Each structure stands twice: as structure tokens, then as C-alpha cells.
Amino acid sequence: MIDGELPLSRIEHDADALSRTDPDLLTRITSGRFILVRENQIAADHEGLVSVTADDIPTDMLTWDHVSYLGKTDETAWSALHLDTTNFELDAEGMPYGDRRLTALHHRNFVSLRKIGHRLTGLESGLATMGTALGAWRDDRKHCQACGGIMAPMAGGWEGACRDCNLVTYPRTDPSVIMAIRDQDDRLLLGHASNWEPTRYSCLAGFVEAGEALEHAVVRESFEEAGVEIDRLEYFGSQPWPFPRSLMAAFRAWTTSTIIEVDGEEITRARFFSREEFASEIAAGNLTVPMSSSVARYLIEDWYGGTLPVNRDGTRNEW
Ligand SMILES: [Zn+2]
């Protein structure tokens, strides 16, 4: 297991799930704080996650159609306000007309959690990850899968009920596996996907298939993508990756395979790196590593034995 927590796995607030069906919840949360979620991004500034109060929000938006309840800390109820640029007439700057408060909210700086997750505090990260996941679900599930009717969020934004046929749905999560595969010389296998920048490499990964256990997915994906057979594996940790709804289950894995055969479609290049080769390729600018908020980054650092080296211009050459 990883020593410590992955950036997006930190939850320091109480999700307070039992309150989600409290009929007074909407009233209670108006004295709390709201983070802002818009199209898979969150509002943040140089100090961290931005949050506002109900006074900053147009009154007609304080409903479950626009708000999800994330939980509470000692004295504060935390919610996400889901903003949407598609339902408004936009001005010349692409901002919605209408209530000045809404315009002010849209003028906040929005950024992907992927880019800043590792820089947030534990409290901020837990709120932002949950808010992003619920926002992605709302964006994806505007219509009922059974009849095409409009879905109405309820239970604090954690359920959706069809206005026509009453079908109830819940946010779903798609499990994926990601693995740091080492050979007998303790070199690390990294692969390059066909749609990536030429220097970008990462650990092999893939979705868990229907009816499959995590361990089997590691073995299957490793063979499918790179032709290597896994002899042994060990659970490393997991973190949500709500872009839009993955849960990454990470493993350390070992192989005695010496020949790599990439699938040529998803993965077009793969090779084993010694630590020396890895460091020199980064230094030369030939290799860019996964972003700091990703579990791939932690898996690679776990193998490397510490913080990754920087390249010639002093940056870490991260994608
Ligand atoms: Zn329906």
C-alpha cells in the first residue's frame, strides 16, 4: 500500500449522507458555503478552492436543480453550485446576461481539478473531487435512460428522478486499473498511447470489464497492451478520477517477460526504463511524466524512490 494518501483520495469533511433526505436540508445549507463547479472544472484562485455564500448566488438557483450537498465540517455545511453556460444568453465576453451575481460567479477562475488537485488542502480536495464527480454525473444524465424524460436531482443532489416515469438513478463510477510493471532487473514498463504528445509516457491502465475482478483486469490489460505476463501483483491504492467517472485502482506488478509487444492501436510504444535511463530521458526533454495529481505519478515515484528529476530548464516536464 502507498504510504499516505493520494491527492484526490483525501476526504476531511463528513459526507453526512444521512442528511441527504432531510426535507429541511436545503434551508440548512443556505447558511453554509458553496464551491463552484462548471463543466468539469472548479473555481480556484492562488489561495486554493473558491467558495461563496448563499448571498452571492441568485436565489432561484438555491434548489437541487443547481446544488449538491457535499457534507459538513464542524460548523459549516458545504455544497457545490453547478453552473452551466449553455442555458443562458451570453454577452460579448461569453458570460451570461441577467443576475449580476450569476455573472460574478462565472467570472471566477475555473480550472480542472486534474491540474490543481495536489495543491489543494485535504478538505478542499475532498470537496472538489466530490463536486466534480457530481457535476459530471449531472452533465451526463440530464435525460432519463428509460424514457428520455428530464431528470430532477434530489436527495441533496445524490439521486436523480425522472419527471415522467419516476426512474431513480445514482451517480456511477467506472473502475479502472493502473499498474507499475517491473521486470527482473527492476526496470519500469511505461507505455505511450497513440493519441498522446510524442514524449508522453505513463503506466499501463485500462477499464475493468464486465464480470471481471481488479486483479484479472491488471493481468488482461498488461497482456493486451504490451504482451507482458504478470507473475505477481500487489495493491497500491486507489483514487477517484472524476473525468468523468473513473475510480483508479493502482497496483505494483512484476513480470518475467522480456519481450514487449504493443497492441499498436491503444498503445503504440512501450519500453522498460532503468532509473538511470528514466532520469536521463527526462533531463534531455525526451520524456514527460504524468501530472502531479495522478495516481500514475505516485506509482512512478514509488518505483523511482523519490521525487522525479527535472529536465534541463529546471521544470519537471509534466503533462
Ligand atoms: Zn423516465
Side-chain angles (χ1 to χ4, degrees):
M1 285 274 288
I2 182 176
D3 180 23
E5 283 184 293
L6 294 161
L8 305 190
S9 297
R10 297 170 293 164
I11 295 182
E12 293 185 3
H13 67 284
D14 173 1
D16 191 24
L18 294 178
S19 289
R20 289 174 193 162
T21 50
D22 176 355
D24 297 327
L25 181 59
L26 205 48
T27 310
R28 278 170 41 203
I29 65 170
T30 54
S31 60
R33 299 200 69 85
F34 297 78
I35 68 166
L36 308 174
V37 181
R38 186 179 74 190
E39 286 146 23
N40 252 326
Q41 296 191 320
I42 49 171
D45 59 23
H46 62 282
E47 291 178 355
L49 191 65
V50 164
S51 66
V52 301
T53 68
D55 291 339
D56 301 314
I57 300 172
T59 313
D60 62 358
M61 291 185 74
L62 291 169
T63 71
W64 298 130
D65 282 342
H66 302 278
V67 172
S68 300
Y69 176 55
L70 303 176
K72 61 183 183 183
T73 47
D74 288 346
E75 292 172 358
T76 307
W78 290 93
S79 302
L81 178 69
H82 300 282
L83 296 166
D84 182 345
T85 52
T86 58
N87 292 335
F88 304 95
E89 247 184 278
L90 303 181
D91 64 18
E93 291 177 49
M95 294 298 164
Y97 281 121
D99 193 311
R100 284 181 172 278
R101 289 176 294 187
L102 183 60
T103 308
L105 294 174
H106 276 284
H107 271 104
R108 298 287 190 158
N109 177 54
F110 284 84
V111 60
S112 171
L113 177 61
R114 273 191 274 225
K115 294 282 181 203
I116 61 162
H118 60 290
R119 294 207 299 268
L120 298 177
T121 65
L123 173 63
E124 291 174 333
S125 173
L127 295 169
T129 305
M130 237 177 234
T132 299
L134 289 171
W137 174 60
R138 280 173 182 255
D139 292 345
D140 185 51
R141 269 279 161 252
K142 289 187 168 138
H143 296 279
C144 172
Q145 66 203 61
C147 78
I150 301 289
M151 297 300 287
M154 54 183 214
W158 289 83
E159 296 177 17
C162 175
R163 290 196 169 128
D164 293 334
C165 76
N166 297 323
L167 178 78
V168 175
T169 58
Y170 305 86
R172 52 176 284 196
T173 294
D174 292 342
S176 298
V177 290
I178 182 164
M179 43 277 180
I181 303 170
R182 305 179 190 202
D183 72 1
Q184 289 173 302
D185 297 323
D186 207 28
R187 297 182 304 166
L188 180 68
L189 178 63
L190 295 176
H192 169 81
S194 54
N195 55 348
W196 287 355
E197 296 282 313
T199 58
R200 179 171 161 181
Y201 277 83
S202 187
C203 300
L204 300 187
F207 286 108
V208 178
E209 291 192 336
E212 188 176 52
L214 297 174
E215 293 82 353
H216 289 150
V218 171
V219 171
R220 178 184 52 74
E221 284 285 346
S222 301
F223 189 75
E224 279 177 15
E225 292 189 341
V228 297
E229 294 188 12
I230 300 301
D231 299 303
R232 184 163 69 87
L233 55 82
E234 184 179 284
Y235 180 65
F236 179 72
S238 72
Q239 84 164 351
W241 196 244
F243 314 106
R245 55 173 174 272
S246 290
L247 172 66
M248 307 300 297
F251 290 83
R252 300 181 183 109
W254 289 266
T255 183
T256 51
S257 300
T258 52
I259 296 173
I260 295 169
E261 283 182 62
V262 293
D263 63 20
E265 291 178 12
E266 204 174 332
I267 299 294
T268 48
R269 295 199 303 270
R271 57 172 281 203
F272 288 107
F273 290 84
S274 69
R275 290 177 181 78
E276 294 71 28
E277 288 165 343
F278 179 76
S280 67
E281 293 285 8
I282 290 179
N286 296 330
L287 183 62
T288 47
V289 295
M291 60 190 73
S292 298
S293 60
S294 68
V295 65
R297 176 62 165 268
Y298 278 73
L299 276 171
I300 294 172
E301 289 187 342
D302 175 64
W303 161 79
Y304 188 74
T307 307
L308 301 189
V310 294
N311 69 7
R312 277 180 301 216
D313 39 5
T315 63
R316 192 154 287 121
N317 222 359
E318 154 179 337
W319 43 265

